[in-house]
Amino acid sequence: MTPDDFIGALRAQRLLAIVRGGDPGAALDTVLTLFRHGVGAVEVSLSGADALGVIARARTELGPRSLLGAGTVLTENDADQALDAGAAFAVTPGVTSAVAACRERGLPVLAGALTPTEVAAAVREGAAAVKLFPASLGGADYLRALRAPFPDVPFVPVGGVDAAAARSYLAAGAAAVGVGSPLIGTSADGPGDLGALAGRVDRFRSEILGAV
Protein backbone atom coordinates (compact mmCIF):
# COMPACT_ATOMS: atom_id res chain seq x y z
CA MET A 1 0.00 0.00 0.00
CA THR A 2 1.37 3.40 -0.95
CA PRO A 3 1.04 6.46 1.32
CA ASP A 4 -1.48 7.94 -1.14
CA ASP A 5 -3.50 4.71 -1.06
CA PHE A 6 -3.47 4.84 2.74
CA ILE A 7 -4.63 8.45 2.87
CA GLY A 8 -7.34 7.73 0.34
CA ALA A 9 -8.56 4.78 2.39
CA LEU A 10 -8.62 6.86 5.58
CA ARG A 11 -10.63 9.60 3.88
CA ALA A 12 -13.07 7.02 2.52
CA GLN A 13 -13.50 5.23 5.85
CA ARG A 14 -13.37 8.31 8.12
CA LEU A 15 -13.24 6.00 11.16
CA LEU A 16 -10.13 4.25 12.52
CA ALA A 17 -10.93 1.88 15.39
CA ILE A 18 -8.18 1.45 17.98
CA VAL A 19 -7.91 -1.89 19.79
CA ARG A 20 -5.69 -2.19 22.87
CA GLY A 21 -6.37 -5.55 24.40
CA GLY A 22 -5.44 -7.30 27.60
CA ASP A 23 -6.63 -10.67 26.29
CA PRO A 24 -5.30 -11.81 22.89
CA GLY A 25 -8.28 -14.01 22.08
CA ALA A 26 -10.76 -11.29 22.99
CA ALA A 27 -8.73 -8.72 21.04
CA LEU A 28 -8.80 -10.92 17.96
CA ASP A 29 -12.57 -11.39 18.27
CA THR A 30 -12.92 -7.63 18.65
CA VAL A 31 -10.91 -6.92 15.50
CA LEU A 32 -12.89 -9.42 13.46
CA THR A 33 -16.21 -8.10 14.76
CA LEU A 34 -15.23 -4.53 13.86
CA PHE A 35 -14.44 -5.47 10.28
CA ARG A 36 -17.51 -7.67 9.92
CA HIS A 37 -19.74 -4.79 11.02
CA GLY A 38 -18.41 -2.27 8.57
CA VAL A 39 -15.40 -0.64 10.25
CA GLY A 40 -12.91 -0.55 7.39
CA ALA A 41 -9.73 0.47 9.27
CA VAL A 42 -8.46 -1.00 12.53
CA GLU A 43 -5.29 -0.34 14.52
CA VAL A 44 -4.04 -2.93 17.04
CA SER A 45 -1.81 -1.28 19.63
CA LEU A 46 1.49 -3.05 20.29
CA SER A 47 1.03 -2.18 23.96
CA GLY A 48 -1.68 -4.85 24.15
CA ALA A 49 -1.11 -8.50 25.07
CA ASP A 50 0.47 -10.49 22.21
CA ALA A 51 -0.51 -7.72 19.81
CA LEU A 52 1.74 -9.03 17.03
CA GLY A 53 0.07 -12.42 17.30
CA VAL A 54 -3.36 -10.75 17.15
CA ILE A 55 -2.35 -8.88 13.98
CA ALA A 56 -0.95 -12.03 12.38
CA ARG A 57 -4.04 -14.12 13.16
CA ALA A 58 -6.40 -11.34 12.07
CA ARG A 59 -4.50 -10.96 8.81
CA THR A 60 -4.92 -14.68 8.14
CA GLU A 61 -8.65 -14.44 8.82
CA LEU A 62 -9.24 -11.23 6.88
CA GLY A 63 -6.98 -11.69 3.88
CA PRO A 64 -4.47 -9.28 2.38
CA ARG A 65 -6.71 -6.36 1.48
CA SER A 66 -8.08 -5.34 4.89
CA LEU A 67 -6.80 -2.06 6.33
CA LEU A 68 -5.30 -3.57 9.48
CA GLY A 69 -2.41 -1.78 11.16
CA ALA A 70 -0.14 -1.69 14.18
CA GLY A 71 -0.26 1.10 16.75
CA THR A 72 2.18 2.34 19.40
CA VAL A 73 5.07 1.67 17.03
CA LEU A 74 8.07 3.23 18.75
CA THR A 75 11.25 1.72 17.31
CA GLU A 76 12.75 0.31 14.15
CA ASN A 77 12.32 -3.16 15.62
CA ASP A 78 8.63 -2.47 16.19
CA ALA A 79 8.35 -1.46 12.53
CA ASP A 80 10.03 -4.68 11.39
CA GLN A 81 7.85 -6.85 13.60
CA ALA A 82 4.65 -5.07 12.59
CA LEU A 83 5.46 -5.55 8.92
CA ASP A 84 6.29 -9.22 9.47
CA ALA A 85 2.98 -9.73 11.30
CA GLY A 86 1.04 -8.38 8.34
CA ALA A 87 0.34 -4.77 9.31
CA ALA A 88 -0.65 -2.62 6.34
CA PHE A 89 0.20 0.62 8.15
CA ALA A 90 1.78 1.83 11.39
CA VAL A 91 0.76 4.42 13.97
CA THR A 92 3.18 6.17 16.31
CA PRO A 93 2.40 8.22 19.43
CA GLY A 94 5.04 10.79 18.48
CA VAL A 95 7.79 11.62 16.02
CA THR A 96 10.21 8.82 16.83
CA SER A 97 12.81 6.92 14.81
CA ALA A 98 9.99 4.57 13.86
CA VAL A 99 8.54 7.14 11.44
CA ALA A 100 11.58 7.08 9.14
CA ALA A 101 11.96 3.32 9.66
CA CYS A 102 8.40 2.71 8.46
CA ARG A 103 8.90 5.00 5.46
CA GLU A 104 12.08 3.16 4.51
CA ARG A 105 10.24 -0.18 4.69
CA GLY A 106 7.35 1.02 2.56
CA LEU A 107 4.92 0.96 5.50
CA PRO A 108 2.62 4.01 5.51
CA VAL A 109 2.77 5.71 8.89
CA LEU A 110 0.31 7.84 10.83
CA ALA A 111 2.67 9.81 13.09
CA GLY A 112 1.58 11.34 16.38
CA ALA A 113 2.02 15.09 16.81
CA LEU A 114 0.41 17.92 18.75
CA THR A 115 2.27 21.19 18.14
CA PRO A 116 3.03 22.91 14.83
CA THR A 117 6.72 22.03 15.30
CA GLU A 118 5.85 18.37 15.77
CA VAL A 119 3.54 18.38 12.75
CA ALA A 120 6.31 19.83 10.60
CA ALA A 121 8.75 17.21 11.93
CA ALA A 122 6.31 14.37 11.19
CA VAL A 123 5.89 15.56 7.61
CA ARG A 124 9.64 15.97 7.21
CA GLU A 125 10.24 12.40 8.44
CA GLY A 126 7.84 11.02 5.86
CA ALA A 127 4.54 10.54 7.68
CA ALA A 128 1.65 9.84 5.32
CA ALA A 129 -0.74 11.52 7.78
CA VAL A 130 -0.59 13.08 11.23
CA LYS A 131 -2.31 11.67 14.31
CA LEU A 132 -3.37 14.74 16.30
CA PHE A 133 -2.75 13.43 19.82
CA PRO A 134 -4.05 13.97 22.38
CA ALA A 135 -6.74 15.75 20.39
CA SER A 136 -8.87 16.42 23.47
CA LEU A 137 -6.42 19.11 24.63
CA GLY A 138 -7.51 21.49 21.88
CA GLY A 139 -10.61 20.08 20.28
CA ALA A 140 -11.97 20.92 16.87
CA ASP A 141 -11.01 24.60 17.11
CA TYR A 142 -7.36 23.63 17.56
CA LEU A 143 -7.56 21.35 14.52
CA ARG A 144 -8.93 24.25 12.47
CA ALA A 145 -6.04 26.43 13.65
CA LEU A 146 -3.47 23.79 12.71
CA ARG A 147 -4.96 23.29 9.28
CA ALA A 148 -4.37 26.94 8.42
CA PRO A 149 -0.56 26.55 8.12
CA PHE A 150 -0.83 22.88 7.13
CA PRO A 151 -3.77 22.74 4.68
CA ASP A 152 -2.42 19.73 2.78
CA VAL A 153 -1.65 17.55 5.82
CA PRO A 154 -4.25 14.82 6.49
CA PHE A 155 -5.05 14.94 10.22
CA VAL A 156 -6.57 12.10 12.26
CA PRO A 157 -7.57 13.29 15.76
CA VAL A 158 -7.11 10.64 18.46
CA GLY A 159 -7.70 10.77 22.21
CA GLY A 160 -11.03 11.34 23.92
CA VAL A 161 -12.97 11.08 20.67
CA ASP A 162 -16.61 10.14 21.24
CA ALA A 163 -19.38 10.43 18.66
CA ALA A 164 -20.03 14.13 19.31
CA ALA A 165 -16.33 15.01 19.13
CA ALA A 166 -15.94 12.88 16.00
CA ARG A 167 -18.63 14.87 14.22
CA SER A 168 -16.91 18.12 15.20
CA TYR A 169 -13.48 16.97 14.02
CA LEU A 170 -14.81 15.75 10.69
CA ALA A 171 -16.64 19.04 10.19
CA ALA A 172 -13.36 20.84 10.95
CA GLY A 173 -11.61 18.99 8.12
CA ALA A 174 -10.17 15.85 9.70
CA ALA A 175 -9.40 13.11 7.18
CA ALA A 176 -10.68 10.56 9.72
CA VAL A 177 -11.01 10.11 13.47
CA GLY A 178 -9.37 7.50 15.66
CA VAL A 179 -11.64 6.02 18.32
CA GLY A 180 -10.73 3.64 21.13
CA SER A 181 -12.69 3.00 24.30
CA PRO A 182 -15.87 4.94 23.37
CA LEU A 183 -16.31 2.38 20.59
CA ILE A 184 -14.42 -0.69 21.82
CA GLY A 185 -15.38 -0.58 25.50
CA THR A 186 -13.79 -3.51 27.34
CA SER A 187 -14.40 -6.09 24.64
CA ALA A 188 -10.65 -6.63 24.00
CA ASP A 189 -9.85 -7.33 27.66
CA GLY A 190 -11.73 -10.58 28.09
CA PRO A 191 -14.60 -12.66 26.79
CA GLY A 192 -17.54 -10.33 26.43
CA ASP A 193 -20.71 -9.55 24.56
CA LEU A 194 -19.71 -9.20 20.91
CA GLY A 195 -23.31 -8.42 20.09
CA ALA A 196 -23.06 -5.32 22.27
CA LEU A 197 -19.86 -4.35 20.47
CA ALA A 198 -21.57 -4.79 17.12
CA GLY A 199 -24.42 -2.59 18.34
CA ARG A 200 -21.99 0.15 19.38
CA VAL A 201 -20.31 -0.06 15.97
CA ASP A 202 -23.63 0.33 14.17
CA ARG A 203 -24.71 3.25 16.38
CA PHE A 204 -21.34 4.98 16.15
CA ARG A 205 -21.16 4.68 12.38
CA SER A 206 -24.73 5.87 12.04
CA GLU A 207 -24.16 8.87 14.33
CA ILE A 208 -20.92 10.10 12.78
CA LEU A 209 -21.09 8.81 9.24
CA GLY A 210 -24.79 8.73 8.57
CA ALA A 211 -24.71 5.10 7.44
CA VAL A 212 -24.51 1.57 8.80
Side-chain angles (χ1 to χ4, degrees):
M1 173 179 289
T2 69
D4 285 345
D5 290 338
F6 176 56
I7 294 167
L10 283 178
R11 292 191 186 281
Q13 296 295 332
R14 295 192 288 172
L15 173 61
L16 170 65
I18 302 168
V19 176
R20 181 178 289 104
D23 180 300
L28 176 62
D29 288 341
T30 297
V31 171
L32 297 178
T33 298
L34 290 166
F35 276 107
R36 289 167 182 164
H37 283 266
V39 176
V42 177
E43 164 197 340
V44 178
S45 171
L46 296 188
S47 64
D50 190 25
L52 291 167
V54 172
I55 293 170
R57 291 193 293 276
R59 177 59 69 200
T60 298
E61 291 280 344
L62 296 166
R65 298 181 63 85
S66 295
L67 196 61
L68 172 68
T72 322
V73 175
L74 294 170
T75 66
E76 293 184 23
N77 186 56
D78 287 343
D80 285 332
Q81 290 184 317
L83 193 59
D84 289 344
F89 63 92
V91 184
T92 74
V95 185
T96 71
S97 61
V99 178
C102 290
R103 184 199 68 226
E104 291 164 1
R105 289 155 178 77
L107 192 63
V109 58
L110 176 60
L114 179 63
T115 68
T117 299
E118 292 169 351
V119 172
V123 172
R124 185 174 62 249
E125 290 297 307
V130 169
K131 178 177 90 169
L132 182 60
F133 177 78
S136 58
L137 289 182
D141 286 342
Y142 183 64
L143 172 61
R144 287 189 183 91
L146 272 181
R147 291 190 68 237
F150 300 105
D152 298 324
V153 173
F155 284 97
V156 181
V158 176
V161 180
D162 58 14
R167 290 193 297 270
S168 296
Y169 287 125
L170 291 169
V177 291
V179 184
S181 57
L183 176 64
I184 307 304
T186 60
S187 66
D189 292 321
D193 186 348
L194 294 178
L197 171 62
R200 287 195 301 275
V201 169
D202 289 345
R203 288 192 298 274
F204 205 100
R205 293 184 66 238
S206 178
E207 287 178 18
I208 73 166
L209 305 179
V212 295

